[in-house]
Amino acid sequence: MRDLVQLTVNGTSLRVARGSTVAAAVVIAGRCGFRRSVTGDLRAPLCGMGICYECRVTINGVAQCRSCQIVCDDGMEVVTSE
Amino acid sequence: MSRHTYDVVIIGAGIIGAACALECARADLSVAVVEPTVIGGGATAAGMGHIVVMDDSEAQFTLTRYSRQLWIDLAPQFPPEIEYMQCGTMWVAADEDEMQEVRRKHAFYGARGVSTEVVDRNSLRQSEPNLRSGLAGGLLVPEDCVLYAPCAARYLLNQARERRCEFIEGVRVTDLQPEAVKLSSSALISCGAIVNAAGTWASELTPGIEVRKRKGHLVITDRHPGYVHHQLVELGYLKSAHSLTADSVAFNVQPRITGQLLIGSSRQFGAEHSEVDTDILRRMIQRACEYMPGLSKLSAIRTWTGFRAATPDKLPLIGKSPAHERLYLATGHEGLGITTSLATARLLVDQLLNRTPAIPIEPYLPTRSMEVAHA
Amino acid sequence: MSRHRKLEVLVVGGGPAGIAAAVRAAEAGLQVGIVDDNPSVGGQIWRGEASKQSSSLSGEWFQRFSSNKIELFSGTRIFEIDSEHALAAENASGTYEFHYEKLVLATGARERFLPFPGWTLPNVVGVGALQALAKSGVPIKGRKVVIAGTGPLLLAVGAHLKEYGAEICLIAEQAPIGKLIRFGTALFRTPSKISEGIAFRRRLAGVPIVTNSWPVSVQGSCKLESVTMRSGNKKWQVRCDYLACGFHLVPNTELATLLGCKIEDGVVVVDSLQQTNRDSIYCAGEPTGVGGVELSLVEGEIAGFAIAGKIEAAQRLFPLRTKYRNFAERMERAFALNPKLRDAALPETFICRCEDVSLERLREHSSWRSAKLHTRCGMGPCQGRVCGPALQFLLGWAPESVRPPLSPVRVESLAASVED
């Protein structure tokens, strides 16, 4: 029995393996992009290690969180801004 | 036909120098601008880029009102990198005493044809929901604007260069001679008039100018679109800007077109180093969070400092210098450099060409008696 | 209120170098703490391995780590200097002021990204990045992956992702075959690397590997759909789900710079005991010169021993360090970047992703300072960490001095005062 965590991405509920990052959850939820650039381009993670800031999403109401460095928690509410 | 290489040499390519260059070029004067580092690299780079009418004195009001209109007239031509936004200023009143001040300002501006609106407690909440509850209201000045100053300076200078303006960069003016300036490259540039627009460096070339450095701090956040709609300034800002001696902070937050917020403001005299003063930064942030508690959780990307060029009577020096036959000053703008740059340029060229200025120039003349205005 | 922590040894960075330094210092009885930005210890190369029971090198070191009393502050980033011997850090719940007697900078490295048309599309990622993302739960099974860029990292990551079930369509190394053969023969001096290389090659059987090759452009509407590759005069298109592309590692020297450590040619200068020119500050791993995991471990051990006063133990590791440094130097020569890579970025290609600044706008300026001020390139949240190395390669612009905060932090963290 796999250890799973339940969270929502843009209102849709999903379950991911415990230890997965929020970035993984956003990808699993089927989002193409995570956010929009200043000129409106769709963006998603580039560096995977918290340096590039392209993976920013809103987590539990807090905006601009680096999703690749944050592990999913039960009940987390993730909102992307694309 | 001028016997000089240039009619005017301008020292410094900050917002003041750039504005003067364009005004000179428009008036068909040949002009050279000398800049040792980068366009808009001094206070122009460090400040908030807030274009605001102020009523600290009649002379300050006249100058800021005149200049703000010049910005509004020019704005339709601006490229996007200038990030011009007519978001208006909301002067925030914390209590009934400050609301009295709001009403006084409303009357002052109204009598002089500047549109403002008294905003009550509830309307303030509605228009700026992220301000803390319990504030008394405010004064909205809808025609005030914000922009990204370094790009504005570059735009003005480039407009000048399309006419008869030469941009000489990477060198410094080292010496003022009777009819020329000497550069750090040893070159000599003959000119009819010299304009010292060097901001906080002005007294290096013209000793005795009563311009002192007044340090400020700013913080810029990540993008939080819609968090703030107007430039928000506490009425206490005026007390902060007014004092000549004390270190002070005041709530002052600006929205950028990207949704980033600029958080200020602070004033210190006697602080010479450009590193962030942790104590002052802490006080500034705490003050800002008193007015806008949610700011504390926003992501701050950068912090920096800058130096304003401050004069004892809080008015800039625009006009002929007593120190040198052909020298004019355009400096000492404190926190109103961006706002009053365009009017400064007009008044300067008015004096160069003996044109009738649109407003009285006496309050800004370098030869005025510098009576220290008291707090 | 900032939490106050006093440590005898503060190690910044929980990768191999940081772990090794912490272990050797803790074994000598010193009170050690590691501060690391990632959710768990291991840095980039050992990401997610701490929880696995492994007999490998990482397993060995994680064993040593857990059997010593080392305080771990995960998800925590140093953002400014509070005073001599005190650094400010932030995590999700607040801030810390760390007081230290000795400091070890083991801040690792990041990938260099070279821009080309379409590089900002979703699913164009770094090489180490795709491995990190896969380890973090991003599904990779059955996905078509093109790996490009340079260095042994391409093969290592390719082999690893294949084990995760990815379909590696192509591995494209920018270095030409000639240089690689010379490097390959020089590997005889580091036999362990040969067997490592052979092992990777075996795991990648059937995967096309080309040299003198790199991506020209990426196509797709809302995400990557295909990539155009070139090799010499040949160009061809590959349909894929991910493009993992990275060109070498760039040392993270920002904290060292802020502390006033001597930096030369982009690396922190250290003496034989890994000490910087600043008293009490040591540096180990990639920031002293990129060289891979074995070199990072050795340097970390030497720093840890040195701090513990075990000079002989440190000196016994010198020959091993020399061996790995020589290997790293050979690697650098073999995989030097082809100048033609500069042609990949077109005038309209964004170089700064934070502020969407194109190459042609940057070219209007003659210095990094002017460009930054007038285009806002480098003023975004990455603080120039992505665009900086690219611009250095493209236009020769050196990075500017570093200012706090070292990374974005909450506004309240800038105002935190320390508890008494």
Side-chain angles (χ1 to χ4, degrees):
Chain A
M1 178 68 172
R2 279 174 74 212
D3 195 6
L4 298 173
V5 171
Q6 177 141 12
L7 69 159
T8 64
V9 175
N10 293 350
T12 307
S13 184
L14 69 150
R15 283 193 290 205
V16 300
R18 187 170 297 280
S20 300
T21 57
V22 173
V26 171
V27 171
I28 290 166
R31 317 303 310 176
C32 232
F34 283 52
R35 47 178 288 275
R36 295 264 170 196
S37 73
V38 287
T39 59
D41 284 354
L42 213 51
R43 294 287 167 84
L46 172 72
C47 78
M49 52 162 65
I51 301 268
C52 72
Y53 283 79
E54 293 281 45
C55 67
R56 284 170 286 160
V57 297
T58 301
I59 300 177
N60 294 342
V62 179
Q64 310 296 12
C65 298
R66 292 171 300 151
S67 58
C68 74
Q69 292 287 64
I70 297 169
V71 172
C72 293
D73 241 339
D74 277 303
M76 248 183 187
E77 282 171 18
V78 177
V79 178
T80 65
S81 54
E82 21 81 79
Chain B
M1 193 58 191
S2 172
R3 67 175 193 279
H4 297 106
T5 313
Y6 298 100
D7 294 322
V8 185
V9 164
I10 298 173
I11 304 171
I15 195 77
I16 304 296
C20 289
L22 180 53
E23 201 59 42
C24 286
R26 279 214 187 109
D28 258 330
L29 295 166
S30 61
V31 54
V33 180
V34 182
E35 169 53 55
T37 60
V38 301
I39 300 170
T44 303
M48 264 178 152
H50 183 198
I51 296 168
V52 56
V53 286
M54 293 273 273
D55 63 339
D56 198 46
S57 64
E58 202 66 53
Q60 188 188 73
F61 166 73
T62 309
L63 188 65
T64 55
R65 190 260 295 269
Y66 177 34
S67 203
R68 187 185 74 170
Q69 191 55 52
L70 294 174
W71 278 111
I72 292 171
D73 293 340
L74 201 56
Q77 302 165 35
F78 287 159
E81 60 261 22
I82 294 183
E83 298 183 13
Y84 175 87
M85 223 178 24
Q86 193 168 48
C87 56
T89 304
M90 180 75 80
W91 292 92
V92 177
D95 53 35
E96 254 317 300
D97 275 346
E98 293 193 349
M99 274 313 277
Q100 287 234 46
E101 175 61 14
V102 161
R103 288 186 269 270
R104 187 204 62 76
K105 282 164 88 79
H106 177 66
F108 178 94
Y109 286 128
R112 289 157 183 74
V114 169
S115 123
T116 66
E117 203 185 296
V118 174
V119 173
D120 69 19
R121 188 179 296 273
N122 292 326
S123 308
L124 182 66
R125 281 298 274 157
Q126 266 177 17
S127 68
E128 294 287 358
N130 287 311
L131 282 171
R132 72 161 167 88
S133 59
L135 293 169
L139 182 79
L140 174 64
V141 187
E143 289 174 289
D144 283 350
C145 358
V146 303
L147 50 65
Y148 182 56
C151 286
R154 186 165 179 249
Y155 171 79
L156 296 173
L157 186 61
N158 284 342
Q159 289 283 296
R161 290 166 80 184
E162 280 175 23
R163 296 165 169 84
R164 294 168 71 197
C165 172
E166 189 82 31
F167 179 45
I168 305 172
E169 59 178 325
V171 287
R172 177 180 298 280
V173 171
T174 52
D175 195 37
L176 305 185
Q177 299 189 355
E179 287 181 49
V181 295
K182 190 157 185 209
L183 303 181
S184 49
S185 58
S186 299
L188 213 58
I189 305 184
S190 88
C191 51
I194 305 163
V195 178
N196 187 342
T200 49
W201 294 274
S203 52
E204 276 176 29
L205 270 168
T206 313
I209 298 184
E210 294 200 57
V211 160
R212 286 173 64 198
K213 287 159 77 163
R214 200 140 191 228
K215 188 173 180 182
H217 288 70
L218 279 175
V219 174
I220 193 167
T221 69
D222 202 339
R223 290 156 62 196
H224 301 277
Y227 201 84
V228 165
H229 301 108
H230 311 90
Q231 173 116 16
L232 301 177
V233 194
E234 62 158 302
L235 278 162
Y237 175 88
L238 299 163
K239 289 189 214 101
S240 169
H242 205 91
S243 164
L244 289 172
T245 46
D247 290 350
S248 61
V249 300
F251 168 63
N252 191 348
V253 171
Q254 179 187 104
R256 278 190 70 218
I257 239 166
T258 57
Q260 289 175 283
L261 300 180
L262 276 168
I263 305 172
S265 65
S266 78
R267 284 178 155 76
Q268 294 162 273
F269 273 125
E272 287 294 316
H273 66 91
S274 58
E275 269 102 59
V276 166
D277 253 285
T278 0
D279 277 337
I280 295 280
L281 188 75
R282 180 176 302 136
R283 279 174 57 192
M284 187 180 91
I285 289 171
Q286 281 166 356
R287 186 65 177 173
C289 292
E290 273 167 38
Y291 280 81
M292 198 160 248
L295 278 180
S296 61
K297 300 291 182 208
L298 301 185
S299 172
I301 295 179
R302 292 163 47 233
T303 66
W304 66 93
T305 65
F307 292 94
R308 307 172 184 84
T311 59
D313 65 359
K314 278 161 286 152
L315 294 171
L317 304 166
I318 311 172
K320 231 168 165 305
S321 163
H324 181 290
E325 179 61 37
R326 293 163 185 278
L327 177 65
Y328 291 76
L329 302 178
T331 183
H333 293 80
E334 222 269 354
L336 291 170
I338 312 303
T339 302
T340 62
S341 53
L342 298 185
T344 298
R346 281 279 166 100
L347 296 179
L348 179 81
V349 175
D350 288 340
Q351 291 178 65
L352 282 171
L353 297 178
N354 263 310
R355 290 188 315 206
T356 312
I359 61 172
I361 55 165
E362 288 75 21
Y364 324 110
L365 291 177
T367 48
R368 69 186 185 263
S369 73
M370 202 66 74
E371 251 182 55
V372 174
H374 291 288
Chain C
M1 198 51 68
S2 198
R3 293 157 289 186
H4 186 286
R5 283 289 185 279
K6 208 165 187 302
L7 295 162
E8 286 182 294
V9 184
L10 173 64
V11 178
V12 181
I19 290 173
V23 163
R24 294 309 183 205
E27 279 170 349
L30 293 170
Q31 184 214 12
V32 184
I34 294 183
V35 169
D36 184 71
D37 180 40
N38 301 290
S40 53
V41 74
Q44 307 316 322
I45 197 163
W46 289 345
R47 185 179 287 266
E49 313 247 330
S51 46
K52 298 187 191 157
Q53 309 288 11
S54 173
S55 60
S56 64
L57 196 57
S58 63
E60 248 179 73
W61 279 100
F62 282 125
Q63 260 273 58
R64 289 186 188 126
F65 173 77
S66 28
S67 49
N68 276 285
K69 245 186 75 184
I70 298 169
E71 225 180 324
L72 177 63
F73 300 88
S74 289
T76 308
R77 324 182 71 170
I78 305 289
F79 66 91
E80 71 183 3
I81 298 170
D82 274 341
S83 61
E84 188 89 24
H85 290 254
L87 298 177
E90 182 197 70
N91 68 359
S93 53
T95 55
Y96 283 97
E97 184 172 280
F98 288 110
H99 280 258
Y100 60 85
E101 283 169 40
K102 302 283 185 190
L103 178 66
V104 179
L105 303 175
T107 45
R110 61 189 186 275
E111 290 188 84
R112 176 187 285 106
F113 301 102
L114 295 181
F116 47 82
W119 78 294
T120 59
L121 278 170
N123 299 352
V124 177
V125 296
V127 177
L130 191 54
Q131 177 159 285
L133 291 168
K135 281 182 174 180
S136 308
V138 172
I140 201 75
K141 189 168 175 187
R143 305 295 200 277
K144 290 180 151 60
V145 179
V146 169
I147 301 178
T150 198
L153 189 63
L154 305 192
L155 295 187
V157 169
H160 198 115
L161 290 176
K162 196 148 185 276
E163 261 149 52
Y164 272 78
E167 191 191 311
I168 313 292
C169 307
L170 174 70
I171 296 183
E173 165 60 57
Q174 59 87 27
I177 189 86
K179 277 196 168 168
L180 294 174
I181 289 177
R182 278 195 292 280
F183 171 70
T185 43
L187 276 178
F188 279 109
R189 270 174 262 166
T190 335
S192 59
K193 288 294 181 183
I194 298 180
S195 43
E196 198 180 271
I198 293 173
F200 286 143
R201 225 27 210 95
R202 229 186 285 129
R203 284 147 78 189
L204 289 164
V207 175
I209 299 181
V210 293
T211 58
N212 192 31
S213 172
W214 55 86
V216 167
S217 64
V218 159
Q219 298 81 42
S221 49
C222 76
K223 61 177 176 171
L224 154 73
E225 279 155 32
S226 61
V227 52
T228 302
M229 300 297 297
R230 67 167 274 186
S231 181
N233 291 324
K234 205 174 126 196
K235 275 200 190 143
W236 71 104
Q237 216 176 30
V238 183
R239 291 194 69 83
C240 55
D241 300 304
Y242 285 100
L243 169 63
C245 185
F247 295 88
H248 289 311
L249 299 180
V250 176
N252 293 326
T253 55
E254 289 77 16
L255 178 54
T257 306
L258 196 65
L259 286 162
C261 299
K262 184 164 183 226
I263 316 277
E264 231 164 55
D265 293 327
V267 301
V268 181
V269 175
V270 290
D271 66 14
S272 60
L273 290 173
Q274 304 291 143
Q275 191 167 18
T276 68
N277 64 320
R278 302 272 289 120
D279 201 43
S280 318
I281 303 181
Y282 293 74
C283 187
E286 313 286 50
T288 66
V290 173
V293 69
E294 290 93 353
L295 181 57
S296 296
L297 284 168
V298 167
E299 289 193 358
E301 287 194 78
I302 292 170
F305 281 135
I307 284 170
K310 303 212 158 136
I311 307 303
E312 275 179 30
Q315 288 169 337
R316 276 198 288 274
L317 291 171
F318 287 3
L320 199 57
R321 180 178 58 190
T322 306
K323 181 172 119 169
Y324 288 128
R325 279 220 177 115
N326 290 341
F327 173 75
E329 269 155 41
R330 285 199 295 278
M331 222 173 60
E332 210 187 300
R333 281 196 296 272
F335 294 98
L337 292 181
N338 188 329
K340 290 211 186 100
L341 284 164
R342 292 192 176 98
D343 303 334
L346 298 184
E348 61 272 17
T349 306
F350 286 154
I351 309 300
C352 167
R353 296 169 67 120
C354 294
E355 297 281 333
D356 285 359
V357 186
S358 66
L359 182 59
E360 61 190 342
R361 281 190 64 207
L362 293 168
R363 282 209 170 112
E364 287 172 21
H365 299 273
S366 50
S367 70
W368 179 214
R369 191 171 164 217
S370 178
K372 186 175 176 182
L373 190 60
H374 290 105
T375 66
R376 304 190 65 87
C377 171
M379 287 195 186
C382 95
Q383 301 180 331
R385 285 180 176 85
V386 172
C387 60
L391 277 172
Q392 192 156 23
F393 180 69
L394 288 172
L395 299 177
W397 287 347
E400 266 201 329
S401 64
V402 170
R403 276 199 313 233
L406 285 175
S407 64
V409 290
R410 289 183 300 276
V411 169
E412 64 187 359
S413 300
L414 293 174
S417 51
V418 190
E419 67 198 359
D420 293 314

